[in-house]
Amino acid sequence: MANVVVIGAQWGDEGKGKITDLLSRSADVVVRYQGGVNAGHTIVVDEKVLKLHLIPSGILYPETICLIGSGTVVDPKVMLSEIDMLLENDIDISGLQLASTAHVTMPYHRLLDQAIEQRRGEKKIGTTGRGIGPTYADKAQRNGIRVIDLLDKKRLRERLNVPLSEKNDLFKNIYGVNQLKLDDLIEEYLSYGERLAPHIVDCSRTIHQAARNKKNILFEGAQGTLLDLDHGTYPYVTSSNPVSGGACIGAGVGPTLIDRVIGVAKAYTTRVGEGPFPTELEGSINDQLCDRGGEFGTTTGRRRRCGWFDGVIGKYAVEVNGLDCLAITKLDVLDELEEIQVCVAYELDGERIEYFPSSAEEFARCQPIFEKLPGWERSTADCRRLEDLPSTAMNYLRFLAELMEVPIAIVSLGASRDQTIVVEDPIHGPKRALLSV
């Protein structure tokens, strides 16, 4: 039995959906612990492309409980559309559960998110406009609507009165947005609650019962380490804590329940939205990585910014998450390159540094210091064992493992489930030993 956290080790979009899908095969319970519909992952199963934003990819396994935890913020309209999509594809959703204490993203959250971002102008953050930040803000201000409130008309009316009045004042007097009607919201969201009612559970009790029964629990984070509200590239971050410690808060468990933390990183680096990006590329190589990697956001469709692998933020992710091992994804995207570069340090105001600066202004001034490695210039898409990889590809993986001082347990070479090499058991393998391949 092992309880495992899977996190993104970069700026999100690392391919966590596929890795979570792989690990879900041996999980009894999969828990999504933070974020909302600002996240998204794509799963390819039997040539079907399934795009999910809230529901964990473990839903593809009929015996697995998939729990959306208390730390998430839930847009019930989107969740129900995902349920309908899964049902249309003959996928069993009987194991889907939703925390009664998760907060609900309301229409006024989306309107406010978009209005605030537009008002920022050139200083925009690059949010998805899906209302995530305002939902978490209402949660912190004790003005939030929770899933359990959607089950009781009287309670929902009482809970909505204050926040809706506040938001309507903002819409009318500051942002010039049409006001929302209380009765319309109540009827709409009660109907969502009625459909979701069979899935609503006590999150913490469900998880602890599974732990007492010696079940394997997989905690799935959205976004990535560098988008963490406290530990990322603030202010260009998300509104929650994607780092591994967020699993304890978002799921309602103590840290002693966690046995292992697995990080997911691309063989290069991407980010979407605004903010500093030291290894960002321009021109033909950027376009090549973007096109070969299909680097367009699952949630927004925005083209992602691409760059070389950044070992500085990689080592930072190892530290703040306590990573035991890594899954490296999209190695095949580098197949055609004659030369590959890896950032091993930064130059900041004329000085070499090997740490991630906490100041956004300093981070923006960081210039990458690269080491060059030879490419392999041949396809790896059909490789299924380490021995099948070109020697230069093996050397590249070894270089990354030694740079970050953490083993690589999984190598992904495409979107399909079978395009994966498992180097060592990511759940029960040796902890914190360097990769030897």
Side-chain angles (χ1 to χ4, degrees), residues 31-34 67-72 99 101 202-208 217-220 245-254 257-258:
V31 184
R32 164 78 180 275
Y33 61 81
Q34 50 74 225
L67 175 57
I68 299 172
S70 298
T72 60
T101 50
D202 182 320
C203 173
S204 183
R205 188 194 310 166
T206 299
I207 294 171
H208 284 284
I217 305 171
L218 181 65
F219 299 89
E220 173 190 13
C248 296
I249 298 170
V253 301
L257 191 70
I258 308 300

Side-chain angles (χ1 to χ4, degrees), residues 6-24:
V6 178
I7 61 93
Q10 295 161 317
W11 275 286
D13 307 311
E14 301 96 346
K16 294 184 297 297
K18 178 183 175 180
I19 303 304
T20 303
D21 174 58
L22 173 70
L23 298 175
S24 295

Side-chain angles (χ1 to χ4, degrees), residues 78-264:
V78 174
M79 183 172 173
L80 287 168
S81 71
E82 291 187 15
I83 287 174
D84 291 338
M85 181 268 291
L86 292 169
L87 291 173
E88 288 170 7
N89 284 277
D90 298 320
I91 293 171
D92 181 6
I93 62 162
S94 59
L96 179 61
Q97 299 185 357
L98 171 61
S100 60
T101 50
H103 279 249
V104 177
T105 296
M106 303 294 292
Y108 51 75
H109 292 132
R110 293 192 296 272
L111 291 172
L112 188 59
D113 193 1
Q114 294 160 17
I116 292 172
E117 184 75 346
Q118 184 177 6
R119 197 175 182 88
R120 287 188 177 116
E122 293 181 357
K123 296 184 178 180
K124 63 182 180 180
I125 300 297
T127 77
T128 61
R130 302 300 175 93
I132 308 305
T135 310
Y136 276 114
D138 271 4
K139 175 180 178 178
Q141 292 172 345
R142 283 82 76 192
N143 260 343
I145 307 299
R146 300 195 299 177
V147 168
I148 198 170
D149 298 328
L150 306 185
L151 303 179
D152 186 294
K153 186 173 184 178
K154 180 181 178 182
R155 184 167 61 221
L156 182 58
R157 180 178 292 274
E158 291 174 351
R159 296 282 195 270
L160 269 173
N161 268 320
V162 172
L164 181 60
S165 176
E166 289 179 351
K167 302 305 186 294
N168 276 337
D169 284 347
L170 290 173
F171 294 152
K172 178 182 178 180
N173 299 318
I174 297 178
Y175 296 112
V177 175
N178 291 333
Q179 296 175 286
L180 300 173
K181 296 180 180 178
L182 177 62
D183 288 337
D184 290 346
L185 287 183
I186 290 172
E187 292 308 313
E188 180 182 359
Y189 279 77
L190 282 175
S191 69
Y192 296 153
E194 184 177 0
R195 280 199 64 191
L196 290 172
H199 303 283
I200 296 173
V201 299
D202 182 320
C203 173
S204 183
R205 188 194 310 166
T206 299
I207 294 171
H208 284 284
Q209 184 62 51
R212 281 193 292 271
N213 292 334
K214 306 298 183 185
K215 301 295 185 180
N216 295 319
I217 305 171
L218 181 65
F219 299 89
E220 173 190 13
Q223 289 96 21
T225 299
L226 276 295
L227 291 178
D228 189 272
L229 182 60
D230 292 297
H231 305 290
T233 50
Y234 191 90
Y236 302 101
V237 293
T238 192
S239 305
S240 59
N241 294 109
V243 295
S244 61
C248 296
I249 298 170
V253 301
T256 53
L257 191 70
I258 308 300
D259 298 304
R260 199 167 180 86
V261 183
I262 301 172
V264 185

